[in-house]
Structures are given as structure tokens and as C-alpha cells.
Amino acid sequence: MNKLFLPVLFFLGLLNFHVSAQVKVTNLKSEHLQNPIGIDETHPRFTWQLESEKLGSFQKAFQLVVGTEKAEVAFGNGNVWESGTVHSSVIPAVYNGPELQPFSRYFWSVRVQDETDNWTDWSPVAFFETGMIDMANWKGKWITDTHNYNVKPAAYFRKEFSAGKQIASARAYIAVAGLYELSINGQRIGDHRLDPTYTRFDRRNLYVTYDVTENLQQGENAIGVLLGNGWYNHQSTAVWFFDQAPWRARPKFCMDLRITWSDGSVETISTGEDWQTALSPVIFNSIYTAEHYDARLEQSGWDKPGFEADGWRNATNTGAPSQNIVAQALHPIRNVTEIPTVEMKKQSENKWLFDFGRNIAGVTQMKVSGPEGTTIRLKHVERLDSTGRADMSNIDVHHRPTDDSDPFQTDIFILSGKKEDVFMPRFNYKGFQYVEVTSDQPLELTKENLTAYFMHSDVLLVGKIHSSNNTLNKIWEAANASYLSNLFGFPTDCPQREKNGWTGDAHIAIETGLYNFEGITVYEKWLDDHRDEQQPNGVLPAIIPTSGWGYHWANGPDWTSTIAIIPWNIYLFYGDSRILEQNYDNIKRYVDYIDENYPSGITDWGLGDWVPVKSVTPKEFTSSAYYYVDAVILSKAAKILGKQSDLEKYKALAEKIRTAVNEKYLDHETGMYGSGLQTELSVALHWGLVPDELREKVAENLAKRVEADNKHINVGLLGTKTILNALSENGYPELAYEVASQETFPSWGWWIVNGATTFHENWPLDASRDISMNHIMFGEINAWYYKALGGIFPDEKQPGFKNVILKPNFVPGLEHFEASHEGPYGTIVSAWKKQRKGVEYTIEIPANSTATLYLDDGKILESGKPLDKNELIEIAERKNGKVVLKLKSGKYLFTIE
């Protein structure tokens, strides 16, 4: 199309559509990422938000175009696909055009019709770029330097080539079994850490795409790759036997550098035996323990053209680790926050202690000058002993070293003596607050010699809370710090002792993750890992990914219900059913396995209420409850996906389980479950086991139990998910807040007032086991703040916060509270503060959303006016002292007396 005519066509288009200047389309994403490159998805999802100054604004319809010409797409012309007018207000939209081609950039734009039938301008143009799409499109060979996986130094690889023509664009596609850093012409490419993210290597491998157009030059160029072990070649020994993984081998990689010349022709520089390799200064690297670096072995310019590669040899061709090489499409791991040393103490002639003031996951960077051969050891720990020395005894308990060459969380740095040497681990991370530095020769050190970096999957912050209770605020911050410390391309339990993807920890913390962070891409990847690990009979391991450990213990429904609970919560928070579609058969196989092996509806398969304060709930009760949860989710997923016979089958199964549990554990006369423990009563309430007619009585029993326990928790992991929610959602929010705000043992506040900056693994500070100081497993309280105090819930009938459920509780003891959450449609705010005569309550509902607000009935004004005087508010129901209001999008200021 002649681009000169585009403005004319656009003008003519205005004759057919009124343009809404009040509404703008913003925040365009494809596959939940902004302008991703190198994706393999052939039916990408599109999301956007509306900005509107007008109250009650919503989307009646949309038009979406996809094309290869940005200028045309900007005016609503897509030469690849045009959706036409779609009468829907729901996102995401899914591409449904011709087959997408590999190595192609597609531009897209969208406009919407608002509630007055006016159309917005076309949105700013976004893009996505496809990668390989098909395995057959790879040209490179998999290469390595040796087949001996016991070799300790990491390997360098290099390739020189000449660019004889003008470069239009260039992409590097790199797939690695292990970890890598890529450089071109001496410059490191990208800022990702620990790529590619961990998978079950013999079943699926990830590749990453980089735009390297600006890194290449006409004339001579050089590519450099440094390979690390990661979880692929686990040389450290620990109780999970990753050193015996069935996939274990020397790290290997495959790379295509695809160059498009200005004349339109394409040339691909690929891996093969013509690449050169040598050992690097990274003389040892372990994702589990640490990294050792000898600066004397540096080869300056190794990744630049013209390097004299004396002593280097040709790479070795090798087999691919799997036959499933797919794009990595998630928020990457990065050095997110730089943290300077807070305090440094010299403890002896050659020993210094650096304190970073907070517990983190990540690495330290040392810059230091000293005599050649000086060996520095950097021991990373979470705590100090009674004498103020570094104490590792709480985190090295599962390490099983065969000698003293691989000390736990202790980097070793050997100086070159020629310059200021700089060392930061490339292929490792640790959990720590303190670093003990020792040197075998005298050095002069200051605070500035050591800097820490908080590493994690760089997910966007989408939630925030703040209140008049400073301990509450610090609990929220500590929970977030623990969550991020355990997000490394998959959710882990702790960043030091294990680094394992424990399933139970992850599903307990799923709402904490989703209220605070845009985690969908990481969870979708982790559910891919679930499908890789699931056995044909439906059984999953307790840790995912795994080398084989975890199929024999701890993998009952109370833990491995991640296969159902996480997809369901993603659906609730994002309104995106793809994760349910992808995992439906896996959920079904899992539930069918339990049904076949436990036909009574009662199962004792599981781990139980892990690390309880004191009282121990029967494992059979909690495992059966999670079995019920799985069956309920499966029946709901069947309904959403239009599987009617499955809906009926699994709805009946869920009712069978519920009946069986209640027949065994519920006293219908007293409304008591089991022994009446906090976990028993709250689990039954929270997960919907309680018959409707007994909910009030069971809730009353729970309240009495908590009061008898001096308004403190007496639960384990599973009970922490349910105790506060069961109280606040069944008539006792004030009591729930009293429990949540405790600062004496046992409580979350007890950790905070004793200096914790992350959540601990055990309630007592002096526990003898399970004593990591950076665990997320007790993190549900963070999500509870959003739900019970802010009152923000997704609506199962209109998921993705298309309709927001608001049920705030203005609890005694708290003067003000604010929660905000950016859902798929925009930012939701629920904030209240107490006034002399009542409560002032502020709400923000984003455009294209609505809300259902539940309040105690009484004298309620909005912006000083009675409710029936506001056309954006519908009084839906008044019953039993409650009022239910339907709200359109906009900002509201309620005063409630």
C-alpha cells in the first residue's frame, strides 16, 4: 500500500467512527510481556488497559490489527490479520490469523469502542517477534569442550567472522544445557543472570533471543560464550542427589547468529567444530554452593577479534540434551537492587565481617588490589553466633561434601596482582546478610570493597499496602523480600540450604505472589516443568524440577496440588484461561490417580501441617481437604472449558470427598472438626468443607479456640493459609487482626521485632531444626492484608478483576490502611482511615472494570451525597444489616458512620 494515502484513509475512517478523546488505550503486552522478542507462541495473547477521565467508562468492542509494517499498523491497517469488530470487553484477545512465520517482527495496535459507541484513537504500536517456532529451523550444532563432567573450570568458546556487508539487523539465538554468559566484540550481551532458567533438561531446554544489531560491526567480529554448570552439571553433593541426575553432562550449547544484511539477504553464523575453546578463570562453579575465580588465568581480549588463541582447540560436537528446545518467555533473573555495605568490622589481622543490613538472595562483588596469588574467601551467612562470628550451621545441614574443596556458600577469589581485580559470581547465588572475608595475605579493606546485589526474577511490582501499624508494614516488606528471594525462574523454598522448587511452599504463597507481583510468566513456565515431571499415572514429585528425588515422600495432595491450585489462581487473577487449558489433562490425571487409589474419598497421602507451632493436625484430614480442593477446581475448569461430562463427574467426586471427610471428622451436633484445633477448623471453613448450615457454628468454635490459645496462632504451614482467612471471612475480622498483629511468640510480628527482614522457616528463634531465615512458606499473611483489610478479591464469575469484589474490614486497633493492586485492567485502590465520627473510605476502580462493594448498612454517603443520588452506584441488596453496592469504574469517597 502506498503510505502517502494512509492519512487520507485514516481521515475517511473518521467519517464512520466517532473518536473518543477521553479514552486512551495503554500498556500493550503480548504474552504478558512488553514487546517480547524470540517467542515461539503461534497464537499470542494480547492485553491492554484503558485510561479514561470519564467515570463509568468501559469497552463495548475492540478492533485489533497485526501487520509487518509499523506505519500501516499505526493507522489500523494490518496486512497479516485484522480481528474485525469484536463485541467484547474482556481481555486477553488471542491472535487468530494466518500462521506466524519464524524470525519475524509483527506490529500490532488496538482501538476500542467505549460505552457511548465512540471509538478511541489507535493505540501506540507495540510489537512481538517470533523466534525459531520450529526445532527444524536451528542451523547450529550442539558443542562442548569435553565429555568429562568432572572437569571443574568453566569453558570459554569463541568464534570470529567477517561482516562484509552493511547490517540491517541481527539476532542471537542461544540454547544452553547449563548456564552461560554471551559477549560480542568484548561486550557482554544483555543483563540477564542465570540464563536459561532451570528445567528438566532431558525433557525441555530453553533458548534466549537477543537483538545484537548494535553490537556487530562491519569487518571483523568475535563471539564469546562462557559456560557454567547450573543444575545441569551439579558437581556439589547434597541430599537430593542432583550430582546423580539422569541428564548430567558437561555443559553444552547451540547458537545461531542470524544476520539480515541491508540487501535483504540472510546469513547465519552457527556453532560447530570450527569454534575454539579453552578453560577460563572460573575454576569452579556450583549453583548450590559457590564460585571460585583465579584472576591470574584471565585472557584479555578473548572475546574480541584479533585475539591470539594460542593453546585453544576446536570444540567438540555433541548431542542435544533433549528434543524439545523452546523459547524462554518470562521475566528474567537480574541483579535488581544494589546494596552497599552497612557496616564492616575487622575481626582479626586477615578477617573482616561485612554486614548488608538485610537478608537477601544474590551475590557480592569484590573490587580489591593485592599481591599476586592472594587467596580471598568470602563466606556468606544469614546469622552470627554468640561471639559475633559468621555462623553457617543453620544452612549447611544438607551439604554432603566429599572433601574441603567445595565449602558451602564460600566464594574463593585469587588475585592477579596486576591491577584492581573485580569478582562477582556468574553462575551462582546465595542467601545471606553477612559476608566473612578472609585473606591469606595482608590486605587493606574498607566498606567500599564489597557490594551486594539482590537477585531474583525481575517481576513487576503490582501491589502495595501501607497502614498505621509499622510492624504490619514491615511484615509485608519481609514477606515480599522472602518471596523475591525465592523466585529464580521457578519458586523455591530458600535461597541457601536447598534452592528447591518445593510445591507446598509455592501454592501456599501463590496469592501473596499474585497480589504483589506480575508473576504469570514465571508460573506458566513452572507449570511447564510440572508437565515435564508428571508420571504417566498422574503422580508428581514434591520438588519441581527434580533429578528424581521427591516421588517417594512429601508429594501428596497437600503439597503437589500445585498442579490445580496455581493454574486456578492465575485464572482468577488474570482472567486468562490458557493455563487451565494447558494443564487440564494433568489435573485430571492427578485427581484420577487419587480417586483410583483412595476410593473412599479419604486419603492420608501427604506431608501434613508442616512445622506446626505445637498442635499436630491429622495428615489424613488435611490431605483429604486438598484432594477435595483439587476435585472442585477440576470441576470448575471443566465448566470453563466446556467439558460437560467432566463437570458432572468431578462435581460429584468433590461432593463425595466432602461427605466422606465430614462423616469422619465433623461432629454435626457441636460443629467441631476433629479435636477442634486451629488448623482443623480453619481448613474446613476456608476450603469449603463445612455444610452451609453449620458455618456459623464452626466459625464460633474456631474463634473460641483462638481465644483459648491467647489469640496467637497454633498452626503449621497448611494452617497459616487458612487461619486468618477463615476468621475474617466468617464474622471475626477483629479477632483475625488481633492474631495477625501480635508481636509476642508465636507470631509473624515476633520475627520482626527481633530484627527479621525476611520470613523464617520456624516460629521459635532458637529452634533446633528447620531454621532457614529466608523462607516464604508462612507468607500467606501478606495476601491476607489485601483480602481482609483492603477487601480486594477477584470475582470468580468475572475473573482478572474484571469485576472487583470489595469486602473491607475497618478493624479496631488500626487507624488507617491502604491497599492497591494493578490487575489486568488497571490499578485498584481500597484505602480507609478512621475519623472522629466514622470511616472515610476511598476506592478506585479502573476503566473497563466494575466492583461489588459489601458494607455494613447504616449512614453511608459518597462525596457527601446519599447513595441513591450517584448514578454510578446501584444498591443491589440490603439484607441482614448489610448493603451490597454495584460500582462502575471511577474514584469514590465514602463516609461511613
Side-chain angles (χ1 to χ4, degrees), residues 31 656 810:
E31 288 302 288
K656 169 187 166 181
F810 315 125

Side-chain angles (χ1 to χ4, degrees), residues 452-762:
Y453 291 91
F454 189 7
M455 290 170 61
H456 53 78
S457 292
D458 195 8
V459 289
L460 302 176
L461 181 70
V462 296
K464 188 174 183 180
I465 69 99
H466 186 74
S467 77
S468 55
N469 182 327
N470 195 43
T471 299
L472 181 156
N473 300 334
K474 288 184 176 181
I475 290 172
W476 176 78
E477 292 171 357
N480 279 356
S482 291
Y483 178 82
L484 292 174
S485 294
N486 286 289
L487 199 68
F488 278 77
F490 66 108
T492 67
D493 62 326
C494 56
Q496 10 66 10
R497 194 187 67 213
E498 297 195 33
K499 298 183 171 80
N500 281 322
W502 277 98
T503 47
D505 303 45
H507 75 67
I508 294 295
I510 180 64
E511 289 178 283
T512 288
L514 295 179
Y515 272 113
N516 289 288
F517 302 102
E518 190 179 46
I520 182 171
T521 61
V522 174
Y523 284 115
E524 286 186 330
K525 178 265 175 189
W526 197 45
L527 265 296
D528 293 343
D529 297 331
H530 276 63
R531 296 194 298 277
D532 289 343
E533 297 286 12
Q534 189 173 33
Q535 294 182 343
N537 64 2
V539 172
L540 290 154
I543 59 172
I544 297 174
T546 180
S547 64
W549 190 95
Y551 288 99
H552 64 296
W553 182 76
N555 62 329
D558 52 357
W559 248 246
T560 43
S561 286
T562 44
I563 191 64
I565 290 173
I566 288 182
W568 179 246
N569 276 277
I570 294 291
Y571 172 73
L572 290 180
F573 274 74
Y574 287 89
D576 186 340
S577 61
R578 181 166 290 179
I579 198 168
L580 290 177
E581 297 166 7
Q582 291 175 329
N583 295 284
Y584 181 82
D585 289 341
N586 305 84
I587 303 170
K588 186 175 176 178
R589 273 194 284 143
Y590 186 65
V591 170
D592 286 349
Y593 174 85
I594 307 175
D595 185 27
E596 181 179 345
N597 286 274
Y598 300 92
S600 69
I602 299 289
T603 176
D604 62 355
W605 181 35
L607 191 55
D609 198 21
W610 192 246
V611 192
V613 173
K614 182 171 61 176
S615 299
V616 179
T617 295
K619 181 174 62 175
E620 182 185 74
F621 176 76
T622 49
S623 289
S624 299
Y626 275 96
Y627 176 28
Y628 170 71
V629 171
D630 295 340
V632 169
I633 289 173
L634 182 54
S635 67
K636 290 178 177 180
K639 182 177 181 180
I640 292 163
L641 301 178
K643 301 177 184 293
Q644 185 61 35
S645 60
D646 279 359
L647 165 61
E648 295 169 2
K649 174 182 177 180
Y650 293 107
K651 189 175 181 181
L653 175 61
E655 190 54 40
K656 169 187 166 181
I657 300 165
R658 188 179 192 229
T659 299
V661 171
N662 286 334
E663 285 180 351
K664 182 162 188 179
Y665 285 97
L666 172 63
D667 185 324
H668 287 261
E669 292 297 318
T670 63
M672 194 69 73
Y673 277 86
S675 302
L677 302 177
Q678 287 186 20
T679 293
E680 291 171 316
L681 294 164
S682 64
V683 161
L685 284 165
H686 180 73
W687 293 120
L689 289 165
V690 180
D692 291 344
E693 67 275 11
L694 289 178
R695 287 193 71 86
E696 188 174 336
K697 185 176 288 188
V698 175
E700 182 182 359
N701 285 333
L702 176 60
K704 289 178 179 177
R705 176 71 266 169
V706 170
E707 289 170 349
D709 290 327
N710 197 27
K711 299 181 181 179
H712 282 70
I713 51 171
N714 186 9
V715 294
L717 173 59
L718 306 180
T720 59
K721 179 69 181 181
T722 58
I723 180 64
L724 299 177
N725 293 303
L727 287 170
S728 60
E729 292 171 29
N730 290 280
Y732 296 92
E734 298 90 350
L735 180 58
Y737 177 69
E738 287 188 81
V739 174
S741 60
Q742 293 287 355
E743 296 182 2
T744 54
F745 177 82
S747 67
W748 295 271
W750 171 243
W751 293 333
I752 299 302
V753 298
N754 280 280
T757 58
T758 48
F759 276 18
H760 292 189
E761 187 188 8
N762 211 324

